[in-house]
């Protein structure tokens, strides 16, 4: 069974499941910031994925990036597999604006997270869940099995 | 004809050409740091690539990442498409060590670049060119056409 890293679980909220990946929202209201986490254990680098998983990750990343770019009218998407702090493979997708607090630098490690209010959290989750509804399986009762 | 961004050209050295991408070394001896630049004009995000180019980029990125990880005995690879400063699509591949100056933070925008000495530059170029010799076309006389 897939095991999600406890730090990723603590710092993010499940948006839903794509074919390969969990889509999760980082709980930091300063940036629309999502991660894709392939449901594969013991993988730390993209190249360790099987070829079909690599292609699926590319497809899911592009779907998410284009959706976010349009929905949030981004200046730029930042897409990155870093993993220096949490080695379990996760692919960041960060909506950047040329007016945001870190622009044009990277966001990682810069500011402490500012958690969403309940209202803002519900809004952004619903927005993305609606936009990706053709491909996204929403969290259900079975989530308790591993969350 | 493919046009390379002048800032990328200034800050990096051509290692050779893969099927889709230029492979370039960032001229900063603090990190083994390479970029893949798809030879496509007017592309700023991965999702803007055609599907066959997306798959080829994934293949070239994985080949490069695995090669670098093994050859440089990396703690971690950082693979990222940021583009906040230079919008032309380029995919960073940075060899990270848990002993490097920025660990575990990101490297971008942290320290001024420290250019390679001629000797060190020749060593790292040759090392990577040999490792990728099955897939890499080395720079030739035609490079002057656009560099």
């Amino acid at each position: 069974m897939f095991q999600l890293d406890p730090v990723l679980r603590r710092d993010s909220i499940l948006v839903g499941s794509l074919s390969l990946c969990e889509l999760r929202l980082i709980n930091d209201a300063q940036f629309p910031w999502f991660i894709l986490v392939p449901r594969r254990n013991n993988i730390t680098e993209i190249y360790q994925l099987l070829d079909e998983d690599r292609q699926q990750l590319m497809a899911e990343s592009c779907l998410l990036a284009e959706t976010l770019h349009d929905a949030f009218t981004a200046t730029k998407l930042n897409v990155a597999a870093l993993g220096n702090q949490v080695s379990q493979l996760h692919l960041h997708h960060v909506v950047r604006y040329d007016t945001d607090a870190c622009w044009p630098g990277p966001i990682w490690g810069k500011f402490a997270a500012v958690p969403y209010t309940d209202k803002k959290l519900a809004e952004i989750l619903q927005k993305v869940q609606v936009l990706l509804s053709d491909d996204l399986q929403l969290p259900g009762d079975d989530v308790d099995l591993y969350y």
Side-chain angles (χ1 to χ4, degrees), chain A:
Chain A
M1 181 176 294
F2 172 63
Q3 298 285 336
L4 182 69
D5 179 275
V7 174
L8 294 183
R9 183 171 49 202
R10 179 196 69 193
D11 293 345
S12 65
I13 297 125
L14 182 64
V15 183
S17 296
L18 297 164
S19 173
L20 173 65
C21 297
E22 299 292 325
L23 171 59
R24 304 184 66 92
L25 172 71
I26 299 288
N27 191 10
D28 185 349
Q30 297 171 103
F31 310 94
W33 176 2
F34 298 81
I35 55 173
L36 289 177
V37 188
R39 288 189 301 276
R40 299 287 183 263
N41 291 318
N42 304 316
I43 298 283
T44 60
E45 303 280 357
I46 295 170
Y47 72 76
Q48 295 167 346
L49 293 171
L50 297 175
D51 191 53
E52 64 192 58
D53 285 349
R54 293 178 183 184
Q55 290 185 30
Q56 186 60 30
L57 179 62
M58 174 60 89
E60 294 181 7
S61 174
C62 286
L63 172 68
L64 177 61
E66 184 164 12
T67 300
L68 294 177
H69 195 286
D70 294 352
F72 291 89
T73 323
T75 304
K76 191 71 190 66
L77 259 288
N78 288 177
V79 178
L82 304 179
N84 304 341
Q85 313 241 17
V86 173
S87 64
Q88 182 174 61
L89 178 60
H90 57 290
L91 192 55
H92 296 274
H93 293 70
V94 191
V95 172
R96 300 299 307 273
Y97 298 104
D98 55 13
T99 53
D100 72 39
C102 293
W103 185 268
I107 63 159
W108 300 277
K110 191 77 177 178
F111 298 120
V114 178
Y116 284 94
T117 62
D118 289 349
K119 181 167 178 290
K120 290 288 183 189
L121 179 62
E123 283 174 4
I124 192 169
L125 287 175
Q126 188 185 25
K127 178 173 180 167
V128 174
Q129 285 168 339
V130 168
L131 286 167
L132 293 174
S133 59
D134 286 352
D135 300 274
L136 196 72
Q137 184 181 357
L138 298 185
D141 293 342
D142 63 323
V143 166
D144 287 329
L145 290 173
Y146 56 90
Y147 286 88

